[in-house]
Amino acid sequence: MILRSACFRRLALLMVGISSCAAAAPLPTLDRGRLVVDGKPFLILGGELANSSSSNRAYMAARWGPLRAQHLNTVLMPVSWELIEPVEGKFDFGLVDGLLADARAHDLRIVILWFGSWKNSMSTYAPGWVKHDPKRFPRARTADGRAIDILSPFGEASAAADARAFGMLMAHLAQTDSARTVIAAQVENEVGMIPEPRDHSPLAEAAWTRPVPKGLPGAGGSWTQAYGADADEAFMAWYFGRYVERVAAAGKKAYPIPFYLNAALPRPNAAPGKGYPAAGPIPKVAHIWYAAAPSIDLLEPDIYFPNFVEWTRAYAALGRPLFIPEANQAGKPEAPANALFAIGQLGAFGFSPFSIDNLDPVQGKPLADLYLMLGKLWPMIQERQGSARIAGFRAPVAFDGTPNLADQSVTMGGNRLTVRFIDPWTPKDRQHPETHGAIVMDMGHDELLVAGRGVAITFAPADGKGATGIDWIDEGDFVDGNWVPGRRLNGDESHQGRHLRLPPDGYSIQRIKLYHYD
């Protein structure tokens, strides 16, 4: 009790510093689907560190420079409970402070990944004093009574201790991070139950007999009556959510920056608990998570499967801002096309592949080139996101890796655009259409800006009357925010005015002026 009281006294003192540092820069926030940093919309061109990289400042020292050279502006960085509170009630933020100082020195922002009670479902990042005391910090159990290495979400002491630690971390950042290096935080990591869909510990069994809480469909009845075959997952989603809310609320009280929760996704027809961590924040139980954990602003997907378009559409349909915190392994060749689609079509405020610090510079060049281009286009993108003046394209890919290469169409500025994902001038057996993608923006007065690679676009009047011609196409670049035209592509490069073509071998930005004739 003495240690606990001392901790809360320190938390109160640290929170006093919030008002003094708030004047330095406005807090990061979410506004109308956008992440706002330093009072301006911000696009996360990100990458997530490998799990253990940020556990040692010296290990990271040689990596900050290469990360910045990849044109990242944000690094997603784990902070583990075991390293900031190795002894109960005694907190050490020296590692965190050092890492943030190094990030600032390289002009990088940070998203904190709180590895507290759960990481990839398991409880491996909890401190030793938690792991060694299962009576006070109970484990989840299988139906046959076997304990598993997952803290039960029904453990009161576990929730209180995790909430205290996360609250102390956020209070420390409120007092010390006046530069707003940290712009958001992920609370826990890929929460869920394995190898079974429900905890069967004594505390969980007691909770199972209680009725569905108010505010949920079927409130007052049993979980089985309300949710049928999904009862186990709905039940666990609620109680995981209530535990996470304890943690997030403590952090939010200390430092109210955007908080999100990430989800490990199921394969098709996967059994809960076996094919994926059951009850995590996936779309089918998202309404339960949002009801249980109001301090969590966003539920977001970790997408390691080929069907990126399908999953991002499902999360966008939840009606909250979209962020892709783990977009498969860094270096995947389809990553840039995924980013173009998520940002251009669905209004995502950020994109981040995993293990960015282990990315070979040669393998990572496509992503680096894309981030460089998106950084230049961001002022125009942010003005158009959420409107009909921007669209993003990539060929959807099924879970089995099969791309759907059907043409896609959109109406923009009175014109009908048809986008094709097979380059007309490159042999098909040398193409990888799953890597092709583009963003198109309406600049007004029949002028469009098109950026990406590997697509060809044709144009027709939206009303079907007459024809649309290409007045001119200029390739070019933005230098210090100003458009600098290069070659005029009115000859072979546009097939004598028949299409706009983005070559598949690199990213390009082209500006096109259309006209109409009968």
Side-chain angles (χ1 to χ4, degrees):
M1 290 299 294
I2 294 174
L3 287 174
R4 189 168 300 165
S5 298
C7 287
F8 282 118
R9 284 198 299 272
R10 185 182 176 195
L11 178 59
L13 289 171
L14 286 173
M15 289 180 65
V16 172
I18 294 177
S19 60
S20 63
C21 71
L27 285 175
T29 188
L30 295 167
D31 180 43
R32 291 173 293 180
R34 297 170 180 157
L35 175 65
V36 177
V37 176
D38 294 339
K40 299 179 294 186
F42 186 85
L43 178 65
I44 291 178
L45 304 174
E48 180 173 333
L49 298 178
N51 293 165
S52 302
S53 298
S54 58
S55 65
N56 185 276
R57 186 181 182 187
Y59 179 87
M60 279 299 301
R63 288 161 173 78
W64 294 110
L67 291 174
R68 195 67 187 92
Q70 286 285 110
H71 303 296
L72 275 71
N73 61 19
T74 305
V75 173
L76 279 64
M77 185 184 80
V79 173
S80 63
W81 184 6
E82 65 178 345
L83 292 182
I84 70 164
E85 193 183 7
V87 176
E88 184 174 7
K90 295 183 178 180
F91 292 88
D92 182 354
F93 299 110
L95 174 62
V96 175
D97 292 343
L99 291 167
L100 293 186
D102 295 340
R104 279 191 292 272
H106 290 85
D107 196 25
L108 287 164
R109 302 283 184 159
I110 294 293
V111 173
I112 290 289
L113 310 182
W114 175 241
F115 288 1
S117 293
W118 300 293
K119 197 275 174 191
N120 288 71
S121 302
M122 312 305 286
S123 298
T124 53
Y125 282 91
W129 52 269
V130 171
K131 294 176 181 177
H132 297 167
D133 191 353
K135 184 175 181 180
R136 184 177 166 203
F137 306 107
R139 303 301 191 274
R141 293 183 178 270
T142 58
D144 62 5
R146 178 172 53 88
I148 50 182
D149 197 11
I150 298 176
L151 287 172
S152 171
F154 301 91
E156 169 63 27
S158 304
D162 192 341
R164 181 187 65 216
F166 185 65
M168 291 291 288
L169 172 63
M170 290 294 107
H172 179 77
L173 294 176
Q175 185 184 48
T176 61
D177 186 25
S178 59
R180 309 302 186 215
T181 307
V182 176
I183 58 175
Q186 174 187 291
V187 186
E188 312 296 346
N189 179 274
E190 294 187 357
V191 176
M193 272 296 297
I194 52 174
E196 296 178 358
R198 178 160 74 84
D199 180 6
H200 289 274
S201 66
L203 290 171
E205 291 298 297
W208 177 252
T209 65
R210 296 195 285 269
V212 175
K214 293 180 180 180
L216 293 183
S222 73
W223 289 95
T224 301
Q225 290 171 333
Y227 293 95
D230 293 326
D232 286 349
E233 205 161 12
F235 168 76
M236 290 303 297
W238 173 260
Y239 283 101
F240 271 131
R242 294 309 297 158
Y243 185 115
V244 170
E245 172 61 15
R246 289 273 299 276
V247 178
K252 210 77 161 185
K253 182 178 181 181
Y255 200 36
I257 62 175
F259 289 171
Y260 72 93
L261 194 63
N262 62 331
L265 304 177
R267 293 173 171 82
N269 304 313
K274 296 186 182 299
Y276 68 98
I282 59 176
K284 75 173 182 177
V285 291
H287 65 291
I288 298 176
W289 271 97
Y290 278 130
S295 296
I296 295 294
D297 301 293
L298 309 169
L299 306 179
E300 305 292 14
D302 291 352
I303 308 177
Y304 286 86
F305 303 138
N307 51 332
F308 181 92
V309 170
E310 177 184 357
W311 279 115
T312 49
R313 286 192 183 280
Y315 274 85
L318 297 178
R320 302 282 181 110
L322 182 65
F323 172 44
I324 316 300
E326 289 187 43
N328 212 327
Q329 296 284 336
K332 283 286 186 178
E334 66 272 21
N338 287 336
L340 288 166
F341 174 79
I343 294 166
Q345 187 63 29
L346 301 179
F349 67 74
F351 183 86
S352 170
F354 176 65
S355 196
I356 194 72
D357 51 313
N358 292 322
L359 182 60
D360 177 84
V362 175
Q363 185 186 22
K365 188 176 187 304
L367 184 66
D369 290 347
L370 175 81
Y371 279 180
L372 177 63
M373 182 180 76
L374 287 176
K376 296 174 181 179
L377 297 179
W378 174 236
M380 288 163 289
I381 291 173
Q382 62 94 5
E383 289 177 0
R384 292 164 174 78
Q385 277 186 324
S387 76
R389 299 176 63 208
I390 186 170
F393 301 94
R394 70 144 302 156
V397 179
F399 180 81
D400 65 5
T402 304
N404 178 356
L405 300 180
D407 293 350
Q408 296 179 15
S409 296
V410 67
T411 298
M412 187 175 289
N415 297 290
R416 187 73 172 168
L417 284 61
T418 300
V419 180
R420 293 170 181 153
F421 297 97
I422 294 294
D423 182 63
W425 293 348
T426 304
K428 288 186 179 180
D429 61 357
R430 288 170 46 196
Q431 297 191 50
H432 299 280
E434 71 278 4
T435 69
H436 298 175
I439 282 180
V440 180
M441 289 182 279
D442 181 5
M443 308 299 286
H445 307 290
D446 279 332
E447 192 173 322
L448 304 170
L449 190 72
V450 185
R453 70 176 183 180
V455 304
I457 306 177
T458 57
F459 308 89
D463 59 8
K465 299 177 181 179
T468 297
I470 295 175
D471 188 349
W472 48 259
I473 302 175
D474 287 347
E475 69 175 359
D477 200 359
F478 286 89
V479 179
D480 297 328
N482 298 310
W483 172 250
V484 179
R487 295 183 301 166
R488 175 147 294 189
L489 308 178
N490 277 14
D492 292 342
E493 292 78 14
S494 65
H495 198 16
Q496 324 308 326
R498 293 180 177 88
H499 63 216
L500 178 147
R501 172 182 176 260
L502 299 176
D505 56 354
Y507 293 97
S508 62
I509 305 174
Q510 298 182 17
R511 203 156 184 162
I512 181 171
K513 175 72 172 179
L514 304 173
Y515 70 99
H516 300 272
Y517 62 95
D518 294 323

